[in-house]
Amino acid sequence: MSTAITEAITTLAEAEKRFNLHRVENEQFFEEWRINLPELTDTEKIALNDLRRRYIYQRSEGHLLEGTVTLLLASPLLMIAGFYDPPFKIKAEQSVQIRLKDEEEVLQGRIDVLVLHDQLWIIILESKKTTISVWSALPQTLAYLMANPQKEHPSYAMMSNGDEIIFVKLMQKDSTQYALSRVFALFTSNQELYQVLQILKKLANIL
């Protein structure tokens, strides 16, 4: 029996129960978003300033739909971070399947944007329209991360509704654990988007 991920996993409690997930709040578990972040060039900062200015201009007219958030924010961010260049591969609307242990049910879903490097899943982008809280994407994002066949490696995700961005790390090697970064709020200052790009570049470098 096949079930859509968006129907089967609707709450964080459901995701944690179905996948035996445990949230880790030890800072050392997910230190990639906090320490030894690469410096940004002046060119990158200018590009981010323009990106933020355009987003705020468009956002000031009202809420934005998911496709617009991807077009205005997510896609340019991935490009500036280098994910559109070798050795990375971009796949949009990627289908995934998860077969739960000891169950006949197969969960199916589509990832908005998947970045691959030698079959290692680098980052999944789960964008929501600005009327929806970014936290609403977490249950499905965790489910998508569980579909990573390279279970000996960590999986990373970036969730965004445009106004806010959160990073997620999931490990399946010994036990299934996940952790979250802080929330980055684009309306606050240019520095928020600077750190988001630093984190993306850090993930690209270490993976």
Side-chain angles (χ1 to χ4, degrees):
M1 179 180 67
S2 297
T3 306
I5 289 175
T6 52
E7 296 177 2
I9 310 295
T10 58
T11 67
L12 180 58
E14 182 70 17
E16 291 180 337
K17 179 181 178 181
R18 297 288 291 271
F19 302 120
N20 195 27
L21 280 165
H22 304 281
R23 180 176 174 181
V24 178
E25 296 191 359
N26 183 341
E27 291 185 347
Q28 293 181 343
F29 179 83
F30 189 14
E31 59 183 16
E32 293 91 329
W33 74 270
R34 294 185 304 105
I35 66 171
N36 298 324
L37 297 178
E39 294 292 330
L40 300 184
T41 66
D42 290 340
T43 300
E44 289 171 332
K45 290 180 180 179
I46 292 172
L48 291 178
N49 294 346
D50 290 341
L51 174 60
R52 179 172 175 268
R53 174 182 53 79
R54 292 189 191 101
Y55 177 79
I56 292 177
Y57 169 73
Q58 298 293 338
R59 180 69 170 85
S60 66
E61 295 297 318
H63 293 296
L64 302 176
L65 297 177
E66 181 175 346
T68 308
V69 171
T70 300
L71 181 66
L72 285 174
L73 178 67
S75 181
L77 260 179
L78 292 177
M79 181 185 68
I80 297 171
F83 285 111
Y84 287 177
D85 300 315
F88 301 104
K89 298 290 186 180
I90 297 287
K91 293 187 177 181
E93 294 294 321
Q94 179 71 15
S95 297
V96 296
Q97 290 188 341
I98 310 169
R99 182 175 294 277
L100 302 179
K101 293 181 178 179
D102 303 324
E103 296 186 28
E104 295 183 357
E105 184 179 14
V106 176
L107 303 184
Q108 294 183 322
R110 285 187 177 274
I111 299 170
D112 291 345
V113 179
L114 174 64
V115 182
L116 299 174
H117 173 41
D118 294 335
Q119 300 304 307
L120 174 62
W121 295 26
I122 303 292
I123 184 169
I124 298 170
L125 171 68
E126 176 72 11
S127 60
K128 295 293 181 180
K129 59 184 180 181
T130 52
T131 55
I132 300 176
S133 167
V134 68
W135 294 105
S136 67
L138 183 57
Q140 285 80 33
T141 298
L142 291 172
Y144 293 147
L145 289 174
M146 288 293 298
N148 184 355
Q150 307 295 330
K151 300 186 184 302
E152 68 274 16
H153 297 293
S155 298
Y156 298 93
M158 184 183 77
M159 305 185 301
S160 178
N161 63 356
D163 296 351
E164 299 174 328
I165 294 175
I166 303 173
F167 289 90
V168 185
K169 177 180 180 179
L170 185 140
M171 289 284 295
Q172 302 185 61
K173 187 174 182 180
D174 298 318
S175 59
T176 310
Q177 300 175 315
Y178 74 97
L180 307 172
S181 72
R182 74 168 177 86
V183 178
F184 296 91
L186 270 64
F187 277 89
T188 304
S189 72
N190 286 329
Q191 294 294 329
E192 295 289 278
L193 206 50
Y194 291 174
Q195 191 166 351
V196 168
L197 180 58
Q198 287 179 297
I199 295 168
L200 287 173
K201 292 182 67 175
K202 173 73 173 292
L203 296 180
N205 289 334
I206 65 176
L207 297 177

